Amino acid sequence: MRTIANLAFLSGWLVPQLAWGSIEPRPTLEDKCRCQDPLTGSGCYEPVCPAGYYKCCATCTEAPCYGQTKMYLSWRGLPECIECNPGDFCTGCDTFTGCPDSNQPSRAGPRIAPAKSMSMGDCESCPVGLEASFDRGACMMKYTDVCNVDVVSRCIRSCKAEDASKGKDLTPCERMKCTMYCAKQWSPQCLNAVSQYCLFSTTLASSMQGGIEAEEGQGAIVGCDVDCSGATSHVASMGVLAVVLAALLSGSLPWDQSAP
């Protein structure tokens, strides 16, 4: 449940901020000089967010994260701590670092990591035949040979939740709907590749014999009413694809669609 946080001082004005909750208390036996200043890269820096979170400048409207995502109350009482994104890790110094790509033979490519990861040890290489999903939060069947990762990922980030009050905070089911929608806008081949992951995520494994367990992530969103065939969609026209291609060249998407 969101709560009203302290008033943040912004350019001489008092601005009310909304926070989604509080984080865990600051550790009492913490080395206060383990972090370097993220701006200067030197000196001692005392973080305001715990490991698994990074800090957004709560008093800067210019910050790209300001007002765009869920922010939790920091140790100084401001809504500025953001959960570490999938594919990144946050060590507790108010910054985030992307998982380094794997260079293992036959397993080369981006590594995955769950949200709120705290160290590089949380980063994992995908098994042979699989590769990191668009958000680098899970492994999925190969798709990068038929999907433009940058364009489709940008489309996914533009999706909004069905509940308008949640903004871009999508449920796992809504995110899968959005992923299918965006894959379809790119190409039928991309849609077909992503459909396999959709079916994998929505189908619960059964009749496993000999103590064999289902693969991780299988049936993770069983019961989701997403159409894994992609047969229906809010928008299905070459005109939309043309807009996406133009956006790739210009560096931004001109629309902000809702999740299908």
Side-chain angles (χ1 to χ4, degrees), residues 196-254:
Q196 299 179 52
Y197 178 58
C198 180
L199 290 170
F200 174 82
S201 301
T202 56
T203 304
L204 191 62
S206 60
S207 301
M208 305 293 285
Q209 298 180 354
I212 300 176
E213 297 182 356
E215 294 184 53
E216 183 177 0
Q218 186 164 9
I221 54 173
V222 64
C224 176
D225 59 348
V226 59
D227 179 8
C228 290
S229 70
T232 59
S233 174
H234 285 309
V235 181
S237 67
M238 291 303 293
V240 172
L241 180 55
V243 172
V244 174
L245 291 171
L248 176 62
L249 298 177
S250 64
S252 63
L253 281 174

CSV table of all heavy atoms in Angstrom, one decimal, residues 196-254:
chain,number,residue,atom,x,y,z
A,196,GLN,N,6.6,-19.8,-28.0
A,196,GLN,CA,7.1,-21.0,-27.3
A,196,GLN,C,7.4,-20.8,-25.9
A,196,GLN,O,7.0,-21.6,-25.0
A,196,GLN,CB,8.4,-21.5,-28.0
A,196,GLN,CG,8.2,-21.9,-29.5
A,196,GLN,CD,9.6,-22.3,-30.1
A,196,GLN,OE1,10.3,-23.2,-29.6
A,196,GLN,NE2,9.9,-21.7,-31.2
A,197,TYR,N,7.9,-19.6,-25.6
A,197,TYR,CA,8.2,-19.2,-24.2
A,197,TYR,C,6.9,-18.9,-23.5
A,197,TYR,O,6.7,-19.3,-22.3
A,197,TYR,CB,9.1,-18.0,-24.2
A,197,TYR,CG,9.4,-17.5,-22.8
A,197,TYR,CD1,10.0,-18.3,-21.8
A,197,TYR,CD2,9.1,-16.2,-22.4
A,197,TYR,CE1,10.3,-17.8,-20.5
A,197,TYR,CE2,9.3,-15.7,-21.1
A,197,TYR,CZ,9.9,-16.5,-20.2
A,197,TYR,OH,10.2,-16.1,-18.9
A,198,CYS,N,5.9,-18.4,-24.2
A,198,CYS,CA,4.6,-18.1,-23.6
A,198,CYS,C,3.9,-19.4,-23.2
A,198,CYS,O,3.4,-19.5,-22.1
A,198,CYS,CB,3.7,-17.3,-24.6
A,198,CYS,SG,2.1,-16.9,-24.0
A,199,LEU,N,4.0,-20.4,-24.1
A,199,LEU,CA,3.4,-21.7,-23.8
A,199,LEU,C,4.1,-22.4,-22.6
A,199,LEU,O,3.5,-23.0,-21.7
A,199,LEU,CB,3.4,-22.6,-25.0
A,199,LEU,CG,2.4,-22.2,-26.1
A,199,LEU,CD1,2.8,-23.0,-27.4
A,199,LEU,CD2,1.0,-22.4,-25.7
A,200,PHE,N,5.4,-22.3,-22.6
A,200,PHE,CA,6.2,-22.8,-21.5
A,200,PHE,C,5.8,-22.2,-20.2
A,200,PHE,O,5.7,-22.9,-19.2
A,200,PHE,CB,7.7,-22.6,-21.8
A,200,PHE,CG,8.6,-23.0,-20.7
A,200,PHE,CD1,9.0,-24.3,-20.6
A,200,PHE,CD2,9.1,-22.1,-19.8
A,200,PHE,CE1,9.9,-24.7,-19.6
A,200,PHE,CE2,10.0,-22.5,-18.8
A,200,PHE,CZ,10.3,-23.8,-18.7
A,201,SER,N,5.6,-20.9,-20.1
A,201,SER,CA,5.3,-20.2,-18.9
A,201,SER,C,3.9,-20.4,-18.4
A,201,SER,O,3.6,-20.3,-17.2
A,201,SER,CB,5.6,-18.7,-19.1
A,201,SER,OG,6.9,-18.5,-19.4
A,202,THR,N,3.0,-20.7,-19.3
A,202,THR,CA,1.6,-20.9,-18.9
A,202,THR,C,1.1,-22.3,-18.8
A,202,THR,O,-0.1,-22.5,-18.5
A,202,THR,CB,0.7,-20.1,-19.9
A,202,THR,OG1,0.9,-20.6,-21.3
A,202,THR,CG2,1.0,-18.6,-19.9
A,203,THR,N,1.9,-23.3,-19.1
A,203,THR,CA,1.5,-24.7,-19.1
A,203,THR,C,2.2,-25.4,-17.9
A,203,THR,O,3.5,-25.4,-17.9
A,203,THR,CB,1.9,-25.4,-20.4
A,203,THR,OG1,1.3,-24.7,-21.5
A,203,THR,CG2,1.4,-26.8,-20.4
A,204,LEU,N,1.4,-25.9,-17.0
A,204,LEU,CA,2.0,-26.6,-15.9
A,204,LEU,C,2.4,-28.0,-16.3
A,204,LEU,O,1.6,-28.7,-16.9
A,204,LEU,CB,0.9,-26.6,-14.8
A,204,LEU,CG,1.4,-27.1,-13.4
A,204,LEU,CD1,2.4,-26.1,-12.8
A,204,LEU,CD2,0.2,-27.2,-12.4
A,205,ALA,N,3.6,-28.4,-15.9
A,205,ALA,CA,4.1,-29.7,-16.2
A,205,ALA,C,3.3,-30.7,-15.4
A,205,ALA,O,3.0,-30.5,-14.3
A,205,ALA,CB,5.6,-29.8,-15.9
A,206,SER,N,3.0,-31.9,-16.0
A,206,SER,CA,2.2,-32.9,-15.4
A,206,SER,C,2.8,-34.3,-15.8
A,206,SER,O,3.5,-34.4,-16.8
A,206,SER,CB,0.7,-32.8,-15.6
A,206,SER,OG,0.5,-32.9,-17.0
A,207,SER,N,2.4,-35.3,-15.1
A,207,SER,CA,2.8,-36.7,-15.4
A,207,SER,C,4.3,-36.8,-15.5
A,207,SER,O,4.8,-37.6,-16.3
A,207,SER,CB,2.2,-37.1,-16.7
A,207,SER,OG,0.7,-37.0,-16.6
A,208,MET,N,5.1,-36.1,-14.6
A,208,MET,CA,6.5,-36.3,-14.6
A,208,MET,C,6.9,-37.6,-13.9
A,208,MET,O,6.4,-37.8,-12.8
A,208,MET,CB,7.2,-35.1,-14.0
A,208,MET,CG,6.8,-33.7,-14.6
A,208,MET,SD,7.4,-33.5,-16.2
A,208,MET,CE,9.2,-33.2,-15.9
A,209,GLN,N,7.7,-38.4,-14.5
A,209,GLN,CA,8.0,-39.7,-13.9
A,209,GLN,C,9.4,-39.8,-13.4
A,209,GLN,O,10.3,-39.0,-13.7
A,209,GLN,CB,7.8,-40.8,-14.9
A,209,GLN,CG,6.3,-40.9,-15.4
A,209,GLN,CD,6.1,-41.9,-16.5
A,209,GLN,OE1,7.1,-42.6,-16.9
A,209,GLN,NE2,4.9,-42.2,-16.9
A,210,GLY,N,9.7,-40.7,-12.5
A,210,GLY,CA,11.0,-41.0,-12.0
A,210,GLY,C,11.6,-39.9,-11.2
A,210,GLY,O,12.8,-39.7,-11.1
A,211,GLY,N,10.8,-39.1,-10.5
A,211,GLY,CA,11.3,-38.0,-9.7
A,211,GLY,C,11.8,-36.8,-10.4
A,211,GLY,O,12.4,-35.9,-9.9
A,212,ILE,N,11.5,-36.8,-11.8
A,212,ILE,CA,12.0,-35.6,-12.6
A,212,ILE,C,11.1,-34.4,-12.3
A,212,ILE,O,9.9,-34.5,-12.2
A,212,ILE,CB,11.9,-36.0,-14.1
A,212,ILE,CG1,12.8,-37.2,-14.4
A,212,ILE,CG2,12.3,-34.8,-14.9
A,212,ILE,CD1,12.7,-37.6,-15.8
A,213,GLU,N,11.7,-33.3,-12.0
A,213,GLU,CA,11.0,-32.1,-11.7
A,213,GLU,C,10.9,-31.2,-13.0
A,213,GLU,O,11.7,-31.3,-13.9
A,213,GLU,CB,11.7,-31.3,-10.6
A,213,GLU,CG,11.8,-32.0,-9.3
A,213,GLU,CD,12.5,-31.2,-8.2
A,213,GLU,OE1,13.0,-30.1,-8.5
A,213,GLU,OE2,12.5,-31.6,-7.1
A,214,ALA,N,9.8,-30.4,-13.0
A,214,ALA,CA,9.6,-29.5,-14.1
A,214,ALA,C,10.8,-28.5,-14.1
A,214,ALA,O,11.4,-28.1,-13.1
A,214,ALA,CB,8.3,-28.7,-13.9
A,215,GLU,N,11.1,-27.9,-15.3
A,215,GLU,CA,12.1,-26.9,-15.5
A,215,GLU,C,11.7,-25.7,-14.7
A,215,GLU,O,10.5,-25.3,-14.6
A,215,GLU,CB,12.3,-26.7,-16.9
A,215,GLU,CG,12.9,-27.8,-17.7
A,215,GLU,CD,13.2,-27.4,-19.2
A,215,GLU,OE1,13.9,-26.5,-19.4
A,215,GLU,OE2,12.7,-28.1,-20.1
A,216,GLU,N,12.7,-24.9,-14.3
A,216,GLU,CA,12.5,-23.7,-13.6
A,216,GLU,C,11.7,-22.7,-14.5
A,216,GLU,O,12.1,-22.5,-15.7
A,216,GLU,CB,13.8,-23.0,-13.2
A,216,GLU,CG,13.6,-21.8,-12.4
A,216,GLU,CD,14.9,-21.2,-11.9
A,216,GLU,OE1,16.0,-21.8,-12.2
A,216,GLU,OE2,14.9,-20.1,-11.2
A,217,GLY,N,10.6,-22.1,-14.0
A,217,GLY,CA,9.8,-21.2,-14.8
A,217,GLY,C,8.7,-21.8,-15.5
A,217,GLY,O,7.8,-21.1,-16.0
A,218,GLN,N,8.7,-23.1,-15.6
A,218,GLN,CA,7.6,-23.8,-16.3
A,218,GLN,C,6.3,-23.7,-15.5
A,218,GLN,O,6.2,-24.0,-14.4
A,218,GLN,CB,7.9,-25.3,-16.6
A,218,GLN,CG,6.8,-25.9,-17.5
A,218,GLN,CD,7.3,-27.3,-18.1
A,218,GLN,OE1,8.4,-27.7,-17.7
A,218,GLN,NE2,6.6,-27.8,-19.0
A,219,GLY,N,5.2,-23.1,-16.2
A,219,GLY,CA,4.0,-22.9,-15.5
A,219,GLY,C,4.0,-21.8,-14.5
A,219,GLY,O,3.1,-21.7,-13.6
A,220,ALA,N,5.0,-20.9,-14.6
A,220,ALA,CA,5.1,-19.8,-13.7
A,220,ALA,C,3.9,-18.9,-13.6
A,220,ALA,O,3.5,-18.3,-12.6
A,220,ALA,CB,6.3,-19.0,-14.0
A,221,ILE,N,3.2,-18.8,-14.8
A,221,ILE,CA,2.0,-17.9,-14.8
A,221,ILE,C,0.8,-18.7,-15.3
A,221,ILE,O,0.0,-18.2,-16.1
A,221,ILE,CB,2.2,-16.7,-15.7
A,221,ILE,CG1,2.7,-17.0,-17.1
A,221,ILE,CG2,3.2,-15.7,-15.0
A,221,ILE,CD1,2.8,-15.8,-18.0
A,222,VAL,N,0.7,-20.0,-14.9
A,222,VAL,CA,-0.4,-20.8,-15.3
A,222,VAL,C,-1.7,-20.1,-14.8
A,222,VAL,O,-1.8,-19.6,-13.8
A,222,VAL,CB,-0.3,-22.2,-14.6
A,222,VAL,CG1,-0.4,-22.2,-13.1
A,222,VAL,CG2,-1.3,-23.2,-15.2
A,223,GLY,N,-2.7,-20.2,-15.7
A,223,GLY,CA,-4.0,-19.5,-15.4
A,223,GLY,C,-4.1,-18.1,-16.1
A,223,GLY,O,-5.1,-17.5,-16.1
A,224,CYS,N,-2.9,-17.6,-16.6
A,224,CYS,CA,-2.9,-16.3,-17.3
A,224,CYS,C,-3.7,-16.5,-18.6
A,224,CYS,O,-3.6,-17.5,-19.3
A,224,CYS,CB,-1.5,-15.9,-17.6
A,224,CYS,SG,-1.4,-14.4,-18.5
A,225,ASP,N,-4.6,-15.5,-18.9
A,225,ASP,CA,-5.4,-15.6,-20.1
A,225,ASP,C,-4.8,-15.0,-21.3
A,225,ASP,O,-5.5,-14.6,-22.2
A,225,ASP,CB,-6.8,-14.9,-19.8
A,225,ASP,CG,-6.6,-13.4,-19.5
A,225,ASP,OD1,-5.5,-13.0,-19.2
A,225,ASP,OD2,-7.6,-12.7,-19.4
A,226,VAL,N,-3.5,-15.0,-21.4
A,226,VAL,CA,-2.8,-14.5,-22.5
A,226,VAL,C,-3.0,-15.5,-23.7
A,226,VAL,O,-3.1,-16.7,-23.5
A,226,VAL,CB,-1.3,-14.4,-22.3
A,226,VAL,CG1,-0.6,-15.7,-21.8
A,226,VAL,CG2,-0.5,-13.8,-23.5
A,227,ASP,N,-3.1,-15.0,-24.9
A,227,ASP,CA,-3.2,-15.8,-26.1
A,227,ASP,C,-1.8,-16.0,-26.7
A,227,ASP,O,-1.2,-15.2,-27.3
A,227,ASP,CB,-4.1,-15.0,-27.2
A,227,ASP,CG,-4.2,-15.8,-28.5
A,227,ASP,OD1,-3.8,-17.0,-28.5
A,227,ASP,OD2,-4.7,-15.2,-29.4
A,228,CYS,N,-1.3,-17.2,-26.4
A,228,CYS,CA,0.1,-17.5,-26.8
A,228,CYS,C,0.2,-17.7,-28.3
A,228,CYS,O,1.4,-17.8,-28.8
A,228,CYS,CB,0.6,-18.8,-26.1
A,228,CYS,SG,0.9,-18.5,-24.3
A,229,SER,N,-0.9,-17.8,-29.0
A,229,SER,CA,-0.8,-17.9,-30.5
A,229,SER,C,-0.6,-16.6,-31.1
A,229,SER,O,-0.3,-16.4,-32.3
A,229,SER,CB,-2.0,-18.6,-31.0
A,229,SER,OG,-3.2,-17.8,-30.9
A,230,GLY,N,-1.0,-15.5,-30.4
A,230,GLY,CA,-1.0,-14.2,-30.9
A,230,GLY,C,-2.0,-13.9,-32.0
A,230,GLY,O,-1.8,-13.0,-32.8
A,231,ALA,N,-3.1,-14.7,-32.0
A,231,ALA,CA,-4.1,-14.6,-33.0
A,231,ALA,C,-4.8,-13.3,-33.0
A,231,ALA,O,-5.3,-12.8,-34.0
A,231,ALA,CB,-5.0,-15.8,-33.0
A,232,THR,N,-5.0,-12.7,-31.7
A,232,THR,CA,-5.7,-11.5,-31.6
A,232,THR,C,-4.8,-10.4,-31.0
A,232,THR,O,-3.9,-10.7,-30.2
A,232,THR,CB,-6.9,-11.7,-30.7
A,232,THR,OG1,-6.5,-12.1,-29.4
A,232,THR,CG2,-7.9,-12.6,-31.3
A,233,SER,N,-5.1,-9.2,-31.2
A,233,SER,CA,-4.3,-8.1,-30.7
A,233,SER,C,-5.1,-6.8,-30.9
A,233,SER,O,-5.9,-6.7,-31.7
A,233,SER,CB,-3.0,-8.0,-31.5
A,233,SER,OG,-2.2,-6.9,-31.0
A,234,HIS,N,-4.8,-5.8,-30.0
A,234,HIS,CA,-5.4,-4.5,-30.1
A,234,HIS,C,-5.0,-3.8,-31.4
A,234,HIS,O,-5.8,-3.2,-32.1
A,234,HIS,CB,-5.0,-3.6,-29.0
A,234,HIS,CG,-5.6,-4.0,-27.7
A,234,HIS,ND1,-7.0,-4.2,-27.5
A,234,HIS,CD2,-5.1,-4.2,-26.4
A,234,HIS,CE1,-7.3,-4.5,-26.3
A,234,HIS,NE2,-6.1,-4.6,-25.6
A,235,VAL,N,-3.8,-4.0,-31.8
A,235,VAL,CA,-3.3,-3.4,-33.1
A,235,VAL,C,-2.6,-4.4,-33.9
A,235,VAL,O,-1.7,-5.1,-33.3
A,235,VAL,CB,-2.4,-2.2,-32.8
A,235,VAL,CG1,-1.9,-1.5,-34.0
A,235,VAL,CG2,-3.1,-1.1,-31.9
A,236,ALA,N,-2.9,-4.5,-35.1
A,236,ALA,CA,-2.2,-5.5,-36.0
A,236,ALA,C,-2.1,-4.9,-37.4
A,236,ALA,O,-2.9,-5.3,-38.3
A,236,ALA,CB,-2.9,-6.8,-36.0
A,237,SER,N,-1.2,-4.0,-37.6
A,237,SER,CA,-1.2,-3.4,-38.9
A,237,SER,C,0.3,-3.1,-39.2
A,237,SER,O,1.1,-2.9,-38.4
A,237,SER,CB,-2.0,-2.1,-38.9
A,237,SER,OG,-1.4,-1.1,-38.1
A,238,MET,N,0.6,-3.0,-40.5
A,238,MET,CA,1.9,-2.7,-40.9
A,238,MET,C,2.2,-1.2,-40.6
A,238,MET,O,3.4,-0.8,-40.5
A,238,MET,CB,2.0,-2.9,-42.5
A,238,MET,CG,2.0,-4.3,-42.9
A,238,MET,SD,3.3,-5.3,-42.1
A,238,MET,CE,4.7,-4.6,-42.8
A,239,GLY,N,1.2,-0.4,-40.4
A,239,GLY,CA,1.4,1.0,-40.0
A,239,GLY,C,2.1,1.1,-38.7
A,239,GLY,O,3.0,1.9,-38.5
A,240,VAL,N,1.7,0.2,-37.7
A,240,VAL,CA,2.4,0.2,-36.4
A,240,VAL,C,3.8,-0.2,-36.5
A,240,VAL,O,4.7,0.4,-35.9
A,240,VAL,CB,1.6,-0.7,-35.4
A,240,VAL,CG1,2.4,-0.8,-34.1
A,240,VAL,CG2,0.2,-0.2,-35.2
A,241,LEU,N,4.1,-1.2,-37.4
A,241,LEU,CA,5.5,-1.7,-37.5
A,241,LEU,C,6.3,-0.5,-38.1
A,241,LEU,O,7.5,-0.4,-37.7
A,241,LEU,CB,5.5,-2.9,-38.5
A,241,LEU,CG,6.9,-3.5,-38.8
A,241,LEU,CD1,7.6,-3.8,-37.5
A,241,LEU,CD2,6.7,-4.7,-39.6
A,242,ALA,N,5.7,0.2,-39.1
A,242,ALA,CA,6.5,1.3,-39.6
A,242,ALA,C,6.8,2.4,-38.6
A,242,ALA,O,7.9,2.9,-38.6
A,242,ALA,CB,5.7,2.0,-40.8
A,243,VAL,N,5.9,2.6,-37.7
A,243,VAL,CA,6.2,3.6,-36.6
A,243,VAL,C,7.3,3.1,-35.7
A,243,VAL,O,8.2,3.8,-35.3
A,243,VAL,CB,4.9,3.8,-35.8
A,243,VAL,CG1,5.2,4.6,-34.5
A,243,VAL,CG2,3.8,4.5,-36.6
A,244,VAL,N,7.3,1.8,-35.4
A,244,VAL,CA,8.3,1.2,-34.6
A,244,VAL,C,9.7,1.3,-35.2
A,244,VAL,O,10.7,1.7,-34.6
A,244,VAL,CB,8.0,-0.3,-34.3
A,244,VAL,CG1,9.2,-0.9,-33.5
A,244,VAL,CG2,6.8,-0.4,-33.5
A,245,LEU,N,9.8,1.1,-36.5
A,245,LEU,CA,11.0,1.2,-37.2
A,245,LEU,C,11.5,2.6,-37.2
A,245,LEU,O,12.7,2.9,-37.1
A,245,LEU,CB,10.8,0.7,-38.7
A,245,LEU,CG,10.6,-0.8,-38.8
A,245,LEU,CD1,10.2,-1.1,-40.3
A,245,LEU,CD2,11.9,-1.6,-38.5
A,246,ALA,N,10.6,3.6,-37.4
A,246,ALA,CA,10.9,5.0,-37.4
A,246,ALA,C,11.4,5.4,-36.0
A,246,ALA,O,12.4,6.1,-35.9
A,246,ALA,CB,9.7,5.8,-37.8
A,247,ALA,N,10.8,4.8,-35.0
A,247,ALA,CA,11.2,5.1,-33.6
A,247,ALA,C,12.6,4.6,-33.3
A,247,ALA,O,13.4,5.2,-32.6
A,247,ALA,CB,10.2,4.5,-32.6
A,248,LEU,N,13.0,3.5,-33.9
A,248,LEU,CA,14.3,2.9,-33.7
A,248,LEU,C,15.4,3.9,-34.2
A,248,LEU,O,16.4,4.1,-33.6
A,248,LEU,CB,14.5,1.6,-34.4
A,248,LEU,CG,15.8,0.9,-34.4
A,248,LEU,CD1,16.2,0.6,-32.9
A,248,LEU,CD2,15.9,-0.3,-35.2
A,249,LEU,N,15.1,4.5,-35.3
A,249,LEU,CA,16.0,5.5,-35.9
A,249,LEU,C,16.1,6.8,-35.2
A,249,LEU,O,17.1,7.4,-35.1
A,249,LEU,CB,15.6,5.7,-37.4
A,249,LEU,CG,15.6,4.5,-38.3
A,249,LEU,CD1,15.1,4.9,-39.7
A,249,LEU,CD2,17.0,3.9,-38.4
A,250,SER,N,14.9,7.2,-34.6
A,250,SER,CA,14.9,8.5,-33.9
A,250,SER,C,15.3,8.3,-32.5
A,250,SER,O,15.6,9.3,-31.8
A,250,SER,CB,13.5,9.1,-34.0
A,250,SER,OG,12.5,8.2,-33.3
A,251,GLY,N,15.3,7.1,-31.9
A,251,GLY,CA,15.7,6.9,-30.6
A,251,GLY,C,14.6,6.9,-29.5
A,251,GLY,O,14.9,6.8,-28.4
A,252,SER,N,13.3,7.0,-29.9
A,252,SER,CA,12.2,7.0,-29.0
A,252,SER,C,11.0,6.5,-29.6
A,252,SER,O,10.8,6.7,-30.8
A,252,SER,CB,12.0,8.4,-28.4
A,252,SER,OG,11.6,9.3,-29.5
A,253,LEU,N,10.1,6.0,-28.8
A,253,LEU,CA,8.8,5.5,-29.3
A,253,LEU,C,7.8,6.6,-29.1
A,253,LEU,O,7.7,7.2,-28.0
A,253,LEU,CB,8.3,4.3,-28.5
A,253,LEU,CG,9.0,3.0,-29.0
A,253,LEU,CD1,8.5,1.8,-28.1
A,253,LEU,CD2,8.6,2.6,-30.4
A,254,PRO,N,6.9,7.0,-30.1
A,254,PRO,CA,6.0,8.1,-29.9
A,254,PRO,C,4.7,7.7,-29.3
A,254,PRO,O,3.9,8.6,-29.2
A,254,PRO,CB,5.8,8.5,-31.4
A,254,PRO,CG,5.9,7.2,-32.2
A,254,PRO,CD,7.0,6.4,-31.4
